[in-house]
Amino acid sequence: MNGQKKRCFLFIFLAGFQLVSAQNAIDSFLTPADSLNTKRQNSVFISEAVLASVALVGLNELWYADYPKSDFHFINDNSEWLQMDKLGHMYSSYHLGRFGAELLHWSGASKKNQLIYGAGLGFVFLTAVEVLDGYSSEWGASSGDVIANATGTALYVSQELLWKEQRIIPKFSFHTTQYAGYRPDVLGSSLSEQILKDYNGQTYWLSANLYSFSKESKIPKWLNLALGYGVDGMISGNNENNTQFPLPKTEIARQFYVSLDVDLTKIQTKSHFLKTFFSVLNTVKVPAPTIEITQFDGIKLHFIYF
């Protein structure tokens, strides 16, 4: 073997060795502690407090500072956007709480502390945002949002208390629509904005793991049945405002979906890196064949629905 080949072989060997070592180090770091690791627990609490504080201060400076303040007040926006925004609050509260509980599990905290101090993360943070809304004259705190936040937290905690596992998981999917072009300032002018703002392209799901409800069956452990909800034809929160724009259709419709899904956390692996990756990705509904039931339009079949 000549010198050039030797150097090439040595480089590949060292690169492979370093990659394996790095993966082992990451996997070791992500492995949950067998008992309470005070250093990990403190790092979780400090990190969450710092991130939440920075997010709230940044939100106040970048968004609320441009509008006049008012006395704290509530508004009733429960009829807006056909409740899609409320489902977004429930979804966000659930997953923020789930991540908070999983981080405390990683630190070795007790199950009780995971549920008390971890699962409530979503409710506390999102309710703090409602307080900012409440002091803004442009908006106001929404009791419906607070209830949705509490519902997301309760969905996680109740399943842990009842089943000691998450059998029903809120998920999200998105596809672009024609409606963003009519009001890009409201529904988003870029893909990233539309994912957050265009309710017509959003679908919120409750994805139920079939094996968890029938553990004696031969159903694959990762197979889920998902029920979804979405809307079509909305470019404003209030239905009557739609008539101000030259839309191709004026009917605003609710949409219901039935589809298959995958619970990525049920995929067997010894890698804690993959377990963490699957846990984060499990917030999103896997594209699959779907039955759509649309108000006024009847039933549609999708070979693959996003």
Side-chain angles (χ1 to χ4, degrees):
M1 184 181 293
N2 60 37
Q4 185 176 5
K5 288 183 178 179
K6 285 182 179 179
R7 287 192 295 272
C8 183
F9 176 79
L10 181 60
F11 173 79
I12 294 173
F13 174 79
L14 290 175
F17 179 78
Q18 289 178 338
L19 179 61
V20 171
S21 297
Q23 287 179 334
N24 288 338
I26 293 173
D27 207 60
S28 177
F29 174 76
L30 294 174
T31 301
D34 294 330
S35 57
L36 179 61
N37 185 317
T38 305
K39 185 177 180 179
R40 284 189 176 187
Q41 181 176 260
N42 290 340
S43 68
V44 169
F45 287 142
I46 293 172
S47 299
E48 289 178 348
V50 170
L51 289 174
S53 299
V54 169
L56 290 173
V57 171
L59 186 63
N60 184 63
E61 292 300 318
L62 294 174
W63 187 263
Y64 296 99
D66 294 334
Y67 300 94
K69 301 293 184 181
S70 68
D71 292 334
F72 185 82
H73 63 287
F74 280 93
I75 60 171
N76 184 353
D77 63 349
N78 295 332
S79 63
E80 295 187 2
W81 299 112
L82 293 182
Q83 297 77 52
M84 285 292 289
D85 58 324
K86 302 298 180 275
L87 290 177
H89 275 265
M90 185 199 75
Y91 168 88
S92 300
S93 180
Y94 173 93
H95 284 293
L96 283 173
R98 179 172 70 85
F99 292 145
E102 289 179 357
L103 282 171
L104 285 180
H105 171 67
W106 170 77
S107 75
S110 66
K111 192 68 176 181
K112 178 180 178 181
N113 286 344
Q114 290 174 36
L115 296 181
I116 294 176
Y117 301 110
L121 175 65
F123 177 78
V124 172
F125 177 76
L126 292 174
T127 301
V129 175
E130 286 303 315
V131 173
L132 295 179
D133 276 344
Y135 281 107
S136 174
S137 61
E138 186 74 11
W139 295 279
S142 167
S143 58
D145 288 353
V146 175
I147 292 172
N149 297 339
T151 301
T153 299
L155 179 61
Y156 179 85
V157 173
S158 61
Q159 292 187 84
E160 287 296 319
L161 294 176
L162 182 61
W163 297 316
K164 296 182 174 56
E165 63 178 349
Q166 296 298 299
R167 297 184 179 184
I168 303 172
I169 302 172
K171 292 196 176 188
F172 175 84
S173 66
F174 177 82
H175 60 271
T176 57
T177 74
Q178 61 182 323
Y179 300 106
Y182 290 93
R183 292 193 73 188
D185 56 322
V186 173
L187 302 182
S189 57
S190 65
L191 177 61
S192 59
E193 288 183 350
Q194 290 169 21
I195 291 174
L196 296 174
K197 296 180 177 182
D198 187 1
Y199 290 116
N200 301 283
Q202 298 177 0
T203 306
Y204 287 100
W205 305 83
L206 285 178
S207 182
N209 184 252
L210 299 177
Y211 177 82
S212 296
F213 289 99
S214 182
K215 294 189 175 182
E216 301 301 322
S217 68
K218 295 183 179 180
I219 297 173
K221 293 182 179 181
W222 45 263
L223 183 62
N224 280 24
L225 179 67
L227 303 179
Y229 174 74
V231 299
D232 184 61
M234 292 206 76
I235 61 172
S236 67
N238 297 312
N239 297 357
E240 60 271 15
N241 291 344
N242 273 32
T243 58
Q244 302 175 12
F245 302 90
L247 295 176
K249 58 176 290 187
T250 57
E251 290 181 327
I252 298 171
R254 298 180 187 268
Q255 297 169 311
F256 303 91
Y257 302 90
V258 180
S259 182
L260 296 176
D261 188 31
V262 175
D263 186 341
L264 298 174
T265 65
K266 295 294 192 296
I267 296 176
Q268 297 297 315
T269 177
K270 294 182 180 180
S271 169
H272 288 281
F273 172 80
L274 286 178
K275 288 180 180 179
T276 303
F277 177 74
F278 288 153
S279 177
V280 173
L281 199 59
N282 211 40
T283 58
V284 179
K285 163 76 168 61
V286 173
T290 300
I291 300 172
E292 172 190 329
I293 305 171
T294 301
Q295 187 180 7
F296 310 123
D297 292 338
I299 298 176
K300 297 179 183 178
L301 300 180
H302 299 273
F303 178 67
I304 293 292
Y305 179 82
F306 291 86

Coordinates of all heavy atoms in Angstrom, one line a residue, residues 125-204:
F125 N -46.3 29.2 30.4 CA -45.7 30.1 29.4 C -46.8 30.7 28.6 O -46.8 31.9 28.4 CB -44.8 29.3 28.5 CG -44.2 30.1 27.4 CD1 -43.2 31.1 27.7 CD2 -44.7 30.0 26.1 CE1 -42.7 31.9 26.7 CE2 -44.1 30.8 25.1 CZ -43.1 31.7 25.4
L126 N -47.7 29.9 28.1 CA -48.8 30.5 27.2 C -49.7 31.4 27.9 O -50.3 32.3 27.3 CB -49.5 29.3 26.5 CG -48.7 28.5 25.5 CD1 -49.5 27.3 25.0 CD2 -48.3 29.4 24.3
T127 N -50.0 31.1 29.2 CA -50.8 32.0 30.0 C -50.1 33.3 30.3 O -50.8 34.4 30.3 CB -51.2 31.3 31.3 OG1 -51.9 30.1 31.0 CG2 -52.2 32.2 32.1
A128 N -48.8 33.3 30.4 CA -48.0 34.5 30.5 C -48.2 35.4 29.3 O -48.3 36.6 29.3 CB -46.6 34.2 30.8
V129 N -48.2 34.7 28.1 CA -48.5 35.5 26.9 C -49.9 36.1 26.9 O -50.1 37.2 26.4 CB -48.3 34.5 25.6 CG1 -48.7 35.3 24.3 CG2 -46.9 34.0 25.6
E130 N -50.8 35.4 27.4 CA -52.2 36.0 27.6 C -52.2 37.2 28.4 O -53.0 38.1 28.2 CB -53.1 34.9 28.2 CG -53.5 33.8 27.2 CD -54.2 34.3 25.9 OE1 -55.1 35.2 26.0 OE2 -53.8 33.8 24.9
V131 N -51.3 37.2 29.4 CA -51.3 38.4 30.3 C -50.8 39.6 29.5 O -51.3 40.7 29.6 CB -50.3 38.2 31.5 CG1 -50.1 39.5 32.3 CG2 -50.9 37.1 32.4
L132 N -49.8 39.4 28.6 CA -49.3 40.5 27.7 C -50.4 40.9 26.8 O -50.6 42.1 26.6 CB -48.1 40.0 26.9 CG -46.8 39.6 27.6 CD1 -45.8 39.1 26.6 CD2 -46.3 40.8 28.4
D133 N -51.2 40.0 26.3 CA -52.4 40.3 25.5 C -53.4 41.2 26.3 O -53.9 42.2 25.8 CB -53.1 39.1 25.0 CG -52.5 38.5 23.7 OD1 -51.7 39.2 23.1 OD2 -52.8 37.3 23.4
G134 N -53.6 40.8 27.6 CA -54.5 41.5 28.4 C -54.2 42.9 28.7 O -55.1 43.8 28.9
Y135 N -52.9 43.3 28.6 CA -52.5 44.7 28.9 C -52.3 45.5 27.6 O -51.9 46.6 27.6 CB -51.2 44.7 29.7 CG -51.4 44.4 31.2 CD1 -51.1 43.2 31.7 CD2 -52.0 45.4 32.0 CE1 -51.2 43.0 33.1 CE2 -52.2 45.2 33.3 CZ -51.8 44.0 33.9 OH -52.0 43.7 35.2
S136 N -52.7 44.9 26.5 CA -52.6 45.6 25.2 C -53.9 46.1 24.7 O -54.9 45.3 24.7 CB -52.0 44.7 24.1 OG -52.0 45.3 22.9
S137 N -54.0 47.3 24.4 CA -55.3 47.9 23.9 C -55.7 47.3 22.6 O -56.9 47.3 22.2 CB -55.2 49.4 23.8 OG -54.2 49.8 22.8
E138 N -54.8 46.7 21.8 CA -55.1 46.2 20.5 C -55.7 44.8 20.6 O -56.5 44.4 19.8 CB -53.8 46.0 19.7 CG -53.9 45.6 18.3 CD -54.5 46.7 17.4 OE1 -54.5 47.9 17.8 OE2 -54.9 46.4 16.2
W139 N -55.5 44.1 21.7 CA -56.0 42.8 21.9 C -56.7 42.7 23.2 O -57.4 43.5 23.6 CB -54.9 41.7 21.7 CG -54.3 41.6 20.4 CD1 -54.8 41.0 19.3 CD2 -53.1 42.3 19.9 NE1 -54.0 41.2 18.2 CE2 -52.9 42.0 18.6 CE3 -52.1 43.1 20.6 CZ2 -51.9 42.4 17.8 CZ3 -51.0 43.5 19.8 CH2 -50.9 43.2 18.5
G140 N -56.4 41.6 23.9 CA -57.0 41.4 25.2 C -56.8 39.9 25.6 O -56.7 39.1 24.7
A141 N -56.8 39.6 26.8 CA -56.6 38.2 27.3 C -57.9 37.5 26.9 O -59.0 38.0 27.0 CB -56.4 38.1 28.8
S142 N -57.7 36.2 26.4 CA -58.8 35.4 26.0 C -59.1 34.2 26.9 O -58.2 33.4 27.1 CB -58.5 34.8 24.6 OG -59.4 33.8 24.2
S143 N -60.2 34.2 27.5 CA -60.6 33.1 28.4 C -60.6 31.8 27.6 O -60.2 30.7 28.2 CB -61.9 33.3 29.1 OG -62.9 33.5 28.1
G144 N -61.0 31.8 26.4 CA -60.9 30.6 25.5 C -59.5 30.1 25.3 O -59.3 28.9 25.3
D145 N -58.6 31.0 25.2 CA -57.2 30.6 25.0 C -56.7 29.9 26.3 O -55.9 28.9 26.3 CB -56.3 31.8 24.7 CG -56.5 32.3 23.3 OD1 -57.2 31.6 22.5 OD2 -55.9 33.3 22.9
V146 N -57.0 30.5 27.5 CA -56.6 30.0 28.7 C -57.2 28.6 28.9 O -56.5 27.6 29.4 CB -57.0 30.9 29.9 CG1 -56.7 30.2 31.3 CG2 -56.3 32.2 29.8
I147 N -58.4 28.4 28.6 CA -59.1 27.1 28.7 C -58.4 26.1 27.7 O -58.1 24.9 28.1 CB -60.6 27.2 28.4 CG1 -61.3 28.0 29.5 CG2 -61.2 25.8 28.2 CD1 -62.7 28.3 29.1
A148 N -58.0 26.5 26.5 CA -57.3 25.6 25.6 C -56.0 25.3 26.1 O -55.5 24.1 26.0 CB -57.2 26.3 24.2
N149 N -55.3 26.2 26.7 CA -54.0 25.9 27.3 C -54.1 24.9 28.4 O -53.3 23.9 28.5 CB -53.4 27.2 27.9 CG -53.1 28.3 26.9 OD1 -52.9 28.0 25.7 ND2 -53.0 29.5 27.4
A150 N -55.1 25.0 29.3 CA -55.3 24.1 30.4 C -55.7 22.7 29.8 O -55.3 21.7 30.4 CB -56.4 24.6 31.3
T151 N -56.5 22.7 28.7 CA -56.9 21.4 28.1 C -55.7 20.6 27.6 O -55.6 19.4 27.8 CB -57.9 21.7 26.9 OG1 -59.0 22.4 27.4 CG2 -58.3 20.4 26.3
G152 N -54.7 21.3 26.9 CA -53.5 20.7 26.5 C -52.7 20.1 27.6 O -52.2 18.9 27.5
T153 N -52.6 20.8 28.7 CA -51.8 20.3 29.8 C -52.6 19.1 30.5 O -52.0 18.1 30.8 CB -51.7 21.4 30.9 OG1 -50.9 22.5 30.3 CG2 -50.9 20.9 32.1
A154 N -53.9 19.2 30.6 CA -54.7 18.2 31.2 C -54.7 16.9 30.3 O -54.7 15.8 30.9 CB -56.1 18.6 31.3
L155 N -54.6 17.0 29.0 CA -54.5 15.9 28.1 C -53.3 15.1 28.4 O -53.3 13.8 28.4 CB -54.6 16.3 26.7 CG -54.5 15.2 25.6 CD1 -55.7 14.2 25.8 CD2 -54.4 15.7 24.2
Y156 N -52.2 15.7 28.6 CA -50.9 15.0 28.9 C -51.0 14.4 30.3 O -50.7 13.2 30.5 CB -49.7 16.0 28.8 CG -48.4 15.3 29.2 CD1 -47.7 14.6 28.2 CD2 -47.9 15.3 30.5 CE1 -46.6 13.9 28.5 CE2 -46.7 14.6 30.8 CZ -46.1 13.9 29.8 OH -44.9 13.2 30.1
V157 N -51.3 15.2 31.3 CA -51.2 14.7 32.7 C -52.2 13.6 32.9 O -51.9 12.6 33.6 CB -51.5 15.9 33.7 CG1 -51.7 15.4 35.1 CG2 -50.4 17.0 33.6
S158 N -53.4 13.7 32.4 CA -54.5 12.7 32.7 C -54.1 11.3 32.1 O -54.3 10.3 32.7 CB -55.8 13.1 32.1 OG -55.7 13.3 30.6
Q159 N -53.4 11.3 30.9 CA -53.0 10.1 30.3 C -51.9 9.4 31.2 O -51.8 8.2 31.3 CB -52.5 10.3 28.9 CG -53.7 10.7 28.0 CD -53.2 10.7 26.5 OE1 -53.2 9.6 25.8 NE2 -52.9 11.9 26.0
E160 N -51.0 10.3 31.7 CA -49.9 9.7 32.5 C -50.5 9.1 33.8 O -50.0 8.1 34.3 CB -48.9 10.8 32.9 CG -48.0 11.2 31.7 CD -47.1 10.1 31.2 OE1 -46.6 9.4 32.1 OE2 -47.0 10.0 30.0
L161 N -51.5 9.8 34.4 CA -52.1 9.3 35.6 C -52.9 8.0 35.3 O -53.0 7.1 36.2 CB -53.0 10.4 36.2 CG -52.2 11.6 36.8 CD1 -53.2 12.6 37.3 CD2 -51.2 11.2 37.9
L162 N -53.6 8.0 34.2 CA -54.5 6.9 33.9 C -53.8 5.7 33.3 O -54.1 4.6 33.7 CB -55.6 7.4 32.9 CG -56.7 6.4 32.5 CD1 -57.5 6.0 33.7 CD2 -57.6 7.0 31.5
W163 N -52.9 5.9 32.4 CA -52.3 4.8 31.6 C -50.8 4.7 31.8 O -50.2 3.8 31.3 CB -52.6 5.0 30.1 CG -54.1 4.9 29.8 CD1 -55.0 4.0 30.3 CD2 -54.8 5.7 28.9 NE1 -56.2 4.2 29.7 CE2 -56.2 5.3 28.8 CE3 -54.5 6.8 28.1 CZ2 -57.1 5.9 28.1 CZ3 -55.4 7.4 27.3 CH2 -56.7 6.9 27.3
K164 N -50.2 5.8 32.4 CA -48.7 5.8 32.5 C -48.0 5.8 31.1 O -46.9 5.4 31.0 CB -48.2 4.7 33.4 CG -48.7 4.8 34.8 CD -48.1 3.7 35.7 CE -48.4 3.8 37.1 NZ -49.9 3.9 37.4
E165 N -48.7 6.3 30.1 CA -48.2 6.5 28.8 C -49.1 7.4 28.0 O -50.2 7.7 28.4 CB -48.1 5.1 28.1 CG -49.4 4.4 27.9 CD -49.3 3.1 27.1 OE1 -48.2 2.8 26.6 OE2 -50.3 2.4 27.0
Q166 N -48.6 7.9 26.9 CA -49.4 8.8 26.0 C -50.0 8.0 24.9 O -49.3 7.6 23.9 CB -48.5 9.9 25.5 CG -48.0 10.8 26.6 CD -49.1 11.5 27.4 OE1 -49.9 12.3 26.8 NE2 -49.2 11.3 28.7
R167 N -51.2 7.7 25.0 CA -51.9 6.9 23.9 C -52.5 7.8 22.8 O -52.7 7.4 21.7 CB -53.0 6.0 24.5 CG -52.5 5.0 25.5 CD -53.6 4.1 26.0 NE -53.1 3.1 26.9 CZ -53.9 2.1 27.4 NH1 -55.2 2.1 27.1 NH2 -53.4 1.2 28.3
I168 N -52.9 9.0 23.2 CA -53.5 10.0 22.3 C -52.7 11.2 22.2 O -52.5 11.9 23.2 CB -55.0 10.3 22.7 CG1 -55.8 9.0 22.9 CG2 -55.6 11.3 21.7 CD1 -57.2 9.3 23.5
I169 N -52.1 11.5 21.0 CA -51.2 12.6 20.9 C -51.7 13.7 19.9 O -52.1 13.3 18.8 CB -49.8 12.1 20.4 CG1 -49.3 11.0 21.3 CG2 -48.8 13.2 20.2 CD1 -48.1 10.3 20.8
P170 N -51.7 14.9 20.3 CA -52.1 16.0 19.3 C -50.9 16.1 18.3 O -49.8 16.1 18.7 CB -52.2 17.2 20.2 CG -52.3 16.7 21.6 CD -51.5 15.5 21.6
K171 N -51.3 16.2 17.0 CA -50.3 16.4 16.0 C -50.8 17.5 15.0 O -51.9 18.0 15.1 CB -50.1 15.1 15.2 CG -49.4 14.0 16.1 CD -48.8 12.9 15.2 CE -48.1 11.9 16.0 NZ -47.4 10.9 15.2
F172 N -49.8 17.8 14.1 CA -50.0 19.0 13.2 C -49.6 18.6 11.8 O -48.6 17.9 11.7 CB -49.2 20.2 13.8 CG -49.3 21.4 12.9 CD1 -50.3 22.3 12.9 CD2 -48.2 21.6 12.0 CE1 -50.3 23.4 12.1 CE2 -48.2 22.8 11.2 CZ -49.3 23.7 11.2
S173 N -50.3 19.1 10.8 CA -49.8 19.0 9.4 C -50.2 20.3 8.7 O -51.1 21.0 9.1 CB -50.4 17.8 8.7 OG -51.8 17.9 8.6
F174 N -49.5 20.5 7.6 CA -49.8 21.8 6.8 C -49.5 21.6 5.3 O -48.7 20.8 4.9 CB -48.8 22.9 7.3 CG -49.0 24.2 6.6 CD1 -50.0 25.0 6.9 CD2 -48.1 24.5 5.5 CE1 -50.1 26.2 6.2 CE2 -48.2 25.6 4.8 CZ -49.3 26.5 5.2
H175 N -50.4 22.3 4.6 CA -50.2 22.4 3.1 C -50.5 23.8 2.7 O -51.3 24.5 3.3 CB -51.1 21.4 2.4 CG -52.5 21.6 2.6 ND1 -53.2 21.0 3.6 CD2 -53.4 22.3 1.9 CE1 -54.5 21.3 3.6 NE2 -54.6 22.2 2.6
T176 N -49.8 24.3 1.7 CA -50.1 25.6 1.2 C -51.5 25.7 0.5 O -52.0 24.8 0.0 CB -49.0 26.1 0.2 OG1 -49.0 25.2 -0.9 CG2 -47.6 26.1 0.9
T177 N -52.0 26.9 0.6 CA -53.4 27.2 0.0 C -53.3 28.4 -0.9 O -52.4 29.2 -0.8 CB -54.5 27.3 1.1 OG1 -54.3 28.6 1.7 CG2 -54.3 26.2 2.1
Q178 N -54.4 28.6 -1.6 CA -54.5 29.8 -2.5 C -54.9 31.0 -1.7 O -54.7 32.2 -2.2 CB -55.6 29.6 -3.5 CG -57.0 29.3 -2.9 CD -58.1 29.0 -3.9 OE1 -58.1 29.6 -5.0 NE2 -59.0 28.1 -3.6
Y179 N -55.4 30.9 -0.4 CA -55.9 32.0 0.3 C -54.9 33.0 0.8 O -55.1 34.2 1.0 CB -56.8 31.5 1.4 CG -57.9 30.6 1.0 CD1 -57.9 29.3 1.1 CD2 -59.0 31.2 0.3 CE1 -58.9 28.5 0.7 CE2 -60.0 30.4 -0.2 CZ -60.0 29.0 0.0 OH -61.0 28.3 -0.5
A180 N -53.7 32.5 1.0 CA -52.6 33.4 1.5 C -52.3 34.5 0.6 O -52.0 35.6 1.0 CB -51.3 32.6 1.8
G181 N -52.5 34.3 -0.7 CA -52.3 35.3 -1.7 C -53.2 36.4 -1.7 O -52.9 37.5 -2.1
Y182 N -54.4 36.2 -1.1 CA -55.4 37.3 -1.0 C -55.1 38.2 0.2 O -55.5 39.4 0.1 CB -56.8 36.7 -0.9 CG -57.3 36.0 -2.1 CD1 -57.1 34.6 -2.3 CD2 -57.9 36.7 -3.1 CE1 -57.5 34.0 -3.4 CE2 -58.3 36.1 -4.3 CZ -58.1 34.7 -4.4 OH -58.5 34.1 -5.6
R183 N -54.6 37.7 1.3 CA -54.2 38.5 2.4 C -52.9 38.1 3.0 O -52.8 37.5 4.1 CB -55.3 38.5 3.5 CG -56.6 39.1 3.1 CD -57.5 39.2 4.3 NE -57.1 40.3 5.2 CZ -57.6 40.6 6.4 NH1 -58.6 39.8 6.9 NH2 -57.2 41.6 7.1
P184 N -51.8 38.3 2.3 CA -50.5 37.9 2.8 C -50.1 38.6 4.1 O -49.3 38.0 4.9 CB -49.5 38.3 1.7 CG -50.3 39.3 0.9 CD -51.7 39.0 1.0
D185 N -50.6 39.8 4.4 CA -50.3 40.4 5.6 C -50.9 39.7 6.8 O -50.4 39.8 7.9 CB -50.8 41.9 5.6 CG -52.3 42.0 5.3 OD1 -52.8 41.2 4.5 OD2 -53.0 42.8 5.9
V186 N -52.0 39.0 6.6 CA -52.7 38.2 7.7 C -52.3 36.8 7.7 O -52.1 36.2 8.7 CB -54.2 38.4 7.6 CG1 -54.9 37.5 8.6 CG2 -54.6 39.9 7.8
L187 N -52.3 36.2 6.5 CA -52.1 34.7 6.3 C -50.6 34.3 6.0 O -50.3 33.2 6.0 CB -53.0 34.2 5.3 CG -54.5 34.4 5.5 CD1 -55.3 33.7 4.4 CD2 -55.0 33.9 6.9
G188 N -49.8 35.3 5.8 CA -48.4 35.0 5.6 C -47.9 35.2 4.2 O -48.6 34.8 3.2
S189 N -46.8 35.8 4.0 CA -46.2 36.1 2.7 C -45.1 35.1 2.3 O -44.7 35.0 1.2 CB -45.7 37.5 2.6 OG -44.7 37.7 3.6
S190 N -44.6 34.3 3.3 CA -43.6 33.3 3.0 C -44.1 32.0 3.6 O -45.1 31.9 4.4 CB -42.3 33.7 3.7 OG -42.4 33.7 5.1
L191 N -43.4 30.9 3.2 CA -43.9 29.6 3.7 C -43.8 29.5 5.2 O -44.8 29.0 5.8 CB -43.0 28.5 3.1 CG -43.3 27.0 3.6 CD1 -44.7 26.6 3.2 CD2 -42.3 26.1 3.0
S192 N -42.8 30.0 5.8 CA -42.7 29.9 7.3 C -43.8 30.7 8.0 O -44.3 30.3 9.0 CB -41.3 30.5 7.8 OG -41.1 31.8 7.3
E193 N -44.2 31.9 7.4 CA -45.3 32.6 8.0 C -46.6 31.9 7.8 O -47.5 31.9 8.6 CB -45.3 34.0 7.3 CG -44.2 34.9 7.8 CD -44.3 36.3 7.2 OE1 -45.2 36.5 6.3 OE2 -43.6 37.2 7.6
Q194 N -46.8 31.3 6.6 CA -48.1 30.7 6.3 C -48.3 29.5 7.2 O -49.4 29.2 7.6 CB -48.1 30.2 4.8 CG -48.2 31.4 3.9 CD -47.9 31.0 2.4 OE1 -48.1 29.9 2.0 NE2 -47.6 32.0 1.6
I195 N -47.2 28.7 7.5 CA -47.4 27.6 8.4 C -48.0 28.0 9.8 O -48.8 27.3 10.4 CB -46.0 26.9 8.7 CG1 -45.5 26.2 7.4 CG2 -46.0 25.9 9.8 CD1 -44.1 25.7 7.5
L196 N -47.6 29.2 10.2 CA -48.1 29.8 11.5 C -49.4 30.5 11.4 O -50.2 30.5 12.3 CB -47.1 30.7 12.1 CG -45.7 30.1 12.5 CD1 -44.8 31.2 12.9 CD2 -45.9 29.1 13.6
K197 N -49.7 31.1 10.2 CA -50.8 32.0 10.1 C -52.0 31.5 9.2 O -53.1 31.9 9.5 CB -50.4 33.4 9.5 CG -49.4 34.1 10.4 CD -49.0 35.4 9.8 CE -48.1 36.2 10.7 NZ -47.7 37.5 10.1
D198 N -51.7 30.7 8.2 CA -52.8 30.3 7.3 C -53.5 29.1 7.8 O -53.2 28.0 7.6 CB -52.2 30.0 5.9 CG -53.3 29.7 4.9 OD1 -54.5 29.8 5.2 OD2 -53.0 29.4 3.7
Y199 N -54.6 29.4 8.5 CA -55.4 28.3 9.1 C -56.0 27.4 8.1 O -56.3 26.2 8.4 CB -56.5 28.9 10.0 CG -56.0 29.6 11.2 CD1 -56.2 30.9 11.4 CD2 -55.4 28.8 12.2 CE1 -55.8 31.5 12.6 CE2 -54.9 29.4 13.4 CZ -55.1 30.8 13.6 OH -54.7 31.4 14.7
N200 N -56.2 27.8 6.8 CA -56.8 27.0 5.8 C -55.9 25.8 5.5 O -56.3 24.8 5.0 CB -57.0 27.8 4.5 CG -57.9 29.0 4.8 OD1 -59.1 28.8 4.9 ND2 -57.3 30.2 4.9
G201 N -54.6 26.0 5.6 CA -53.6 24.9 5.3 C -53.2 24.1 6.5 O -52.6 23.0 6.4
Q202 N -53.7 24.5 7.7 CA -53.4 23.7 8.9 C -54.4 22.6 9.2 O -55.6 22.8 8.9 CB -53.3 24.7 10.1 CG -52.3 25.8 10.1 CD -52.3 26.7 11.3 OE1 -53.2 26.5 12.2 NE2 -51.5 27.7 11.3
T203 N -53.9 21.5 9.7 CA -54.8 20.5 10.2 C -54.3 20.0 11.6 O -53.1 19.8 11.7 CB -54.8 19.3 9.3 OG1 -55.2 19.7 8.0 CG2 -55.9 18.3 9.8
Y204 N -55.2 20.0 12.6 CA -54.8 19.5 13.9 C -55.4 18.2 14.1 O -56.6 17.9 13.7 CB -55.3 20.5 15.0 CG -54.5 21.8 15.0 CD1 -54.9 22.9 14.4 CD2 -53.2 21.8 15.7 CE1 -54.1 24.1 14.5 CE2 -52.4 22.9 15.7 CZ -52.9 24.1 15.1 OH -52.1 25.2 15.1

